[in-house]
Amino acid sequence: MAREVFNSKMGAIAAAAGSAVGLGNIWRFPYVLGENGGGAFLFVYILFTFLIAVPILLSELAIGRRAGKPVLGAFKALAPGTKWHLIGYSGVFCAFLILSFYAIVSGWTLLYAYRAVVGELAAISPDEMTTLYNHTSSDPVVSIIWMFAFIGLTAFVVMRGVQDGIEKYSKILMPMLLLLIVLLCIRALTLPGALDGLAFLLKPDFSKLTFTGIFEALGQAFFSLSIGMGTMTTYGSYISRKQNLVSGGFSIAGLDFMIAFLAAVIIFPCAFSFGISPGQGPGLVFVTLPNIFNQIFMGRAVSIVFFVLLSVAALTSTISLLEVVVSFLVSERGFRRKPASLLVAGLIGLLGCLCAFSSTIFSLFDNISANILLPGGALFIVLFIPHVLGKEAFRSELEACGTRQRVFGVLYFVIKYIVPVAIGGVLIYQIVNWLIG
Ligand code: PFF
């Protein structure tokens, strides 16, 4: 059943990009960067994305494609009789945790699209915008209603196995989102005081970067690329052997980074211009962005389009998260797709209620999944390549498209030595810090 999800194998790279690009870029990246002092965080984030996260992305795609199965089955097929498939269980658990808070924020995105339509965001002051967000985030009933609407939408798509159709739309809608973001960047950069915001983003002040900031940059890099929990392993299994995984992986990471970076180029100039604290936390995008719509020609129409496109970007990510759990139940536990989708959506809705009632639980789920489970999972995935799959099998998978990969030697070295030491080092240091702090 799970094999039927994507009819067009060429679309699988676009689907993986759809999973990567989402609220992680536009909502999470700016707020985590804002809390960690700006430019220095960006510097470390770039390093982690291209040096550490891309090799893991390529490892996941290669493992999935080689096995031709979703994550759990992939590890069982490539390492039969071992415990490596436990990575799959951690992924399923992680998908639950991420979806529970991600669906809340996705619900807010829908709600803001609705507010834009009815004109509630028009002509209100930055202070009123903050009050509006505070009311929204502290009203569990509103959050829960919109969260269920969003989970329902996700379940509808996954249940009917029509991801392929969604990806076709998102191939048009994603470039539209990118174009809109570029236009908003131009407007943001011409706001009074914008340059202070740009300096906050681009001028690295390493004295503001704590070890926790480094740790969070690593987690954010993994979260943004959807790696460390098998999502990309599952998508890898849908990719045709004719596709060049290396160039595909770099394109996904490049696009993902660009959208996150440009979102920050809008948000920080906007925050500084309207007197909003850049470190104000998860509400950052909702209290800064709508202000800019009030400053542009046809702002109301633009705000509607923006929040609708953001909801679509969130949807392609929630689909990939729900798919991890559903494909597990379908291929490992003999469920049918429809009941599995409904059951999982219901359970996630219940967990999401906890996040709606308590911002502490919301942050806890956010932190544990991005900063502990994803790096932990990624560590095992990356150990799998040299120690189980083997160098030559990995090379043959990356070169299956017929192109010799000149970067292979460097890539393999990075995967074998640099990535495990970097992730292990950061994780151990942070855990020791917690224990003694
Ligand atoms: N990468 C998504 C984003 O940036 O919004 C979030 C995500 C999707 C994380 C799927 C993990 C995942 F498996």
Side-chain angles (χ1 to χ4, degrees), residues 70-76 83-95 228-231 233-234 324-325 328 332 377 380-381:
V71 54
L72 224 115
F75 284 101
K76 277 189 183 163
K83 296 264 177 269
W84 286 95
H85 65 277
L86 293 181
I87 294 173
Y89 284 107
S90 137
V92 170
F93 177 65
C94 198
M229 51 175 286
T231 308
T233 312
T234 303
V324 169
V325 189
F328 160 73
E332 299 292 320
F380 284 103
I381 288 168

Side-chain angles (χ1 to χ4, degrees), residues 18-25 95 98 102 220 222-227 229-232 256 313-314 317-318 320-321 324 374:
S19 168
V21 175
L23 297 175
N25 307 62
I98 295 182
Y102 201 93
Q220 174 59 25
F222 292 173
F223 186 86
S224 194
L225 277 180
S226 309
I227 55 174
M229 51 175 286
T231 308
M232 289 302 187
D256 190 69
S317 300
T318 52
S320 74
L321 284 159
V324 169
L374 295 184

Side-chain angles (χ1 to χ4, degrees), residues 18-305:
S19 168
V21 175
L23 297 175
N25 307 62
I26 291 164
W27 159 71
R28 200 174 189 280
F29 175 70
Y31 103 69
V32 178
L33 182 138
E35 284 181 338
N36 285 294
F41 180 94
L42 175 67
F43 178 82
V44 179
Y45 177 76
I46 293 176
L47 206 71
F48 282 157
T49 297
F50 291 99
L51 188 69
I52 310 287
V54 169
I56 299 165
L57 172 63
L58 295 177
S59 305
E60 283 206 32
L61 293 174
I63 291 170
R65 188 168 74 176
R66 186 147 196 98
K69 292 199 167 79
V71 54
L72 224 115
F75 284 101
K76 277 189 183 163
L78 297 177
T82 66
K83 296 264 177 269
W84 286 95
H85 65 277
L86 293 181
I87 294 173
Y89 284 107
S90 137
V92 170
F93 177 65
C94 198
F96 261 99
L97 280 194
I98 295 182
L99 263 174
S100 63
F101 68 85
Y102 201 93
I104 296 274
V105 186
S106 305
W108 292 342
T109 314
L110 267 191
L111 169 62
Y112 271 69
Y114 165 78
R115 286 185 171 154
V117 171
V118 297
E120 256 181 59
L121 302 177
I124 65 175
S125 69
D127 280 348
E128 288 167 324
M129 207 64 86
T130 306
T131 312
L132 182 67
Y133 170 76
N134 289 341
H135 276 312
T136 312
S137 62
S138 59
D139 183 346
V141 177
V142 170
S143 297
I144 288 171
I145 291 173
W146 287 91
M147 169 196 71
F148 269 107
F150 206 92
I151 294 181
L153 208 62
T154 311
F156 178 78
V157 175
V158 170
M159 192 163 79
R160 305 189 44 160
V162 290
Q163 282 89 319
D164 199 22
I166 295 290
E167 293 310 330
K168 271 191 204 116
Y169 284 116
S170 84
K171 264 193 224 164
I172 308 163
L173 297 179
M174 235 179 347
M176 268 173 71
L177 178 64
L178 187 58
L179 183 73
L180 192 56
I181 287 177
V182 171
L183 293 177
L184 291 175
C185 276
I186 297 171
R187 184 62 191 100
L189 289 173
T190 49
L191 288 169
L195 290 187
D196 292 338
L198 202 61
F200 176 82
L201 176 66
L202 296 181
K203 259 204 195 148
D205 175 356
F206 285 95
S207 68
K208 284 197 195 141
L209 189 67
T210 58
F211 189 82
T212 303
I214 296 178
F215 172 70
E216 292 193 355
L218 187 75
Q220 174 59 25
F222 292 173
F223 186 86
S224 194
L225 277 180
S226 309
I227 55 174
M229 51 175 286
T231 308
M232 289 302 187
T233 312
T234 303
Y235 275 140
S237 70
Y238 301 120
I239 298 176
S240 140
R241 295 188 69 79
K242 288 194 217 103
Q243 281 276 333
N244 188 333
L245 284 190
V246 177
S247 64
F250 273 98
S251 314
I252 295 172
L255 177 74
D256 190 69
F257 173 73
M258 182 136 82
I259 294 193
F261 177 71
L262 293 178
V265 172
I266 305 172
I267 285 172
F268 292 104
C270 199
F272 277 76
S273 180
F274 294 111
I276 297 162
S277 159
Q280 79 103 39
L284 188 63
V285 67
F286 295 103
V287 300
T288 49
L289 265 188
N291 293 305
I292 211 172
F293 299 129
N294 287 329
Q295 306 262 338
I296 51 179
F297 176 62
M298 304 230 308
R300 184 158 159 199
V302 174
S303 66
I304 298 172
V305 174

